[in-house]
Amino acid sequence: MLFKQQALLRQKLFVLGSLAIGSLLYLVARVGSLDRLQPLCPIDGRFGPRGQDEIPLRALQFKRGLLHEFRKGNATKEQIRLHNLVQQLPKAIIIGVRKGGTRALLEMLNLHPAVVKASQEIHFFDNDENYAKGIEWYRKKMPFSYPHQITIEKSPAYFITEEVPERIYKMNSSIKLLIIVREPTTRAISDYTQVLEGKERKNKTYYKFEKLAIDPNTCEVNTKYKAVRTSIYTKHLERWLKYFPIEQFHIVDGDRLITEPLPELQLVEKFLNLPPRISQYNLYFNATRGFYCLRFNIVFNKCLAGSKGRIHPEVDASVITKLRKFFHPFNQKFYQITGRTFNWP
């Protein structure tokens, strides 16, 4: 009896061991075959008509890992060639507006697997010295990407610099242009706050906002103050419209991007002819920071720099009222030109 029990036990152990070894061999073979096959991931996948190139499954890995190494200059020419990576001129540019949320917009669009961002502001079109270096210099400032990805850069000074529209037109007359705006008075105060912080960091004194925004001689709004001029959106846009039709512009609501980012990003995806990929999963509210942060995957999250969301100084209520009254007719014209209305006072 004991002998039979021992034999049965040995038989069971043999079967279990065989199953374990078989499962292990299957997994090894499966991983190996996946590595060899390198399957294409449709991610519903096509960015154009059926039959065009699809994005490789590994694209997401390269975008977060290998492409980061390339940006740091750690890749060889052979690695770049093997992975079919290129430095492309941007197909879309965030041209402004300063303190409208350009950095937040760029980082959020970078959540999309078909978008690759230039990490730094290039200042090619608004800087005469850089512009004189030529378009090839500009292209080499762009990140590595796959040919089917869209490269985007942002330099908010582009929007207000007189020479920029013509220069961009000469590079690409069909380029898509993104403008992110906030309520003009709030944007002007935010602009002032950033400069003020820089002065304080250097132990320098600076005028109060009221003294800069209001002309002491006339007691009217000081249109020579750059923070005020930048907020007259329609004046700058009219200069751009001499070169580009309004259909090539998309206006992003910077105030809504702070409180409810997903609908704004979905509108940009549509404007750029991208398949919808950014979801609520990619955006989560950080109560400590007071704004939305980004979730790329289960292990990689990112919040904007601590300098974002600065506390504005208190501004005299009468000055705010005067500024809002001043901006009102310009805002109405901006709504009319762009076809987008904001609830600005």
Side-chain angles (χ1 to χ4, degrees), residues 110-303:
N110 193 51
L111 289 164
H112 199 292
V115 172
V116 179
K117 69 178 177 70
S119 298
Q120 303 298 321
E121 293 179 7
I122 310 300
H123 289 287
F124 177 64
F125 298 103
D126 65 309
N127 183 297
D128 291 340
E129 185 178 338
N130 286 342
Y131 190 68
K133 295 174 183 177
I135 202 72
E136 188 63 16
W137 177 88
Y138 180 56
R139 188 180 65 81
K140 288 183 178 178
K141 290 292 182 180
M142 295 299 137
F144 286 97
S145 63
Y146 291 104
H148 47 249
Q149 290 178 311
I150 292 178
T151 296
I152 297 181
E153 77 123 325
K154 74 102 175 173
S155 293
Y158 289 168
F159 185 60
I160 64 170
T161 305
E162 190 170 340
E163 300 82 6
V164 171
E166 182 179 7
R167 289 175 174 179
I168 292 182
Y169 180 85
K170 287 179 178 178
M171 178 191 73
N172 182 358
S173 62
S174 62
I175 197 165
K176 292 181 180 291
L177 302 165
L178 293 162
I179 306 172
I180 180 167
V181 294
R182 296 186 67 193
E183 190 277 313
T185 301
T186 302
R187 195 222 63 83
I189 296 172
S190 181
D191 198 328
Y192 166 84
T193 304
Q194 179 170 298
V195 176
L196 175 65
E197 184 181 276
K199 297 285 186 181
E200 290 177 340
R201 202 162 42 237
K202 297 176 183 178
N203 293 319
K204 294 183 178 180
T205 57
Y206 195 49
Y207 293 112
K208 292 187 68 175
F209 176 80
E210 292 87 341
K211 191 168 184 178
L212 294 168
I214 304 299
D215 188 323
N217 297 319
T218 64
C219 292
E220 297 299 327
V221 173
N222 179 16
T223 55
K224 294 181 180 179
Y225 178 39
K226 187 176 180 180
V228 168
R229 288 203 317 274
T230 299
S231 285
I232 308 175
Y233 304 138
T234 186
K235 289 290 186 183
H236 305 293
L237 182 58
E238 285 173 341
R239 184 171 59 251
W240 284 85
L241 290 173
K242 294 176 182 177
Y243 295 91
F244 300 96
I246 193 63
E247 292 76 20
Q248 282 178 233
F249 295 87
H250 177 73
I251 311 301
V252 179
D253 185 341
D255 294 308
R256 191 184 185 201
L257 192 73
I258 296 171
T259 60
E260 196 180 1
L262 184 58
E264 286 299 315
L265 295 172
Q266 290 172 334
L267 289 174
V268 177
E269 285 180 324
K270 186 176 181 180
F271 172 69
L272 296 177
N273 296 320
L274 293 170
R277 290 294 175 270
I278 303 174
S279 69
Q280 198 61 58
Y281 169 81
N282 300 118
L283 303 158
Y284 66 96
F285 187 77
N286 186 312
T288 303
R289 303 293 297 276
F291 50 78
Y292 280 86
C293 294
L294 317 179
R295 181 186 291 115
F296 290 88
N297 52 48
I298 196 169
V299 295
F300 182 37
N301 299 341
K302 181 177 182 179
C303 285

Side-chain angles (χ1 to χ4, degrees), residues 184 231 233 324 327-336 344-345:
S231 285
Y233 304 138
R324 287 177 172 171
F327 286 126
H328 183 76
F330 296 112
N331 295 342
Q332 296 303 309
K333 192 171 184 179
F334 186 70
Y335 302 160
Q336 184 181 3
W344 297 337

Side-chain angles (χ1 to χ4, degrees), residues 53 78-86 144-148:
D53 289 342
E78 181 64 15
Q79 285 177 310
I80 294 169
R81 185 188 65 79
L82 285 174
H83 296 302
N84 195 30
L85 295 170
V86 291
F144 286 97
S145 63
Y146 291 104
H148 47 249

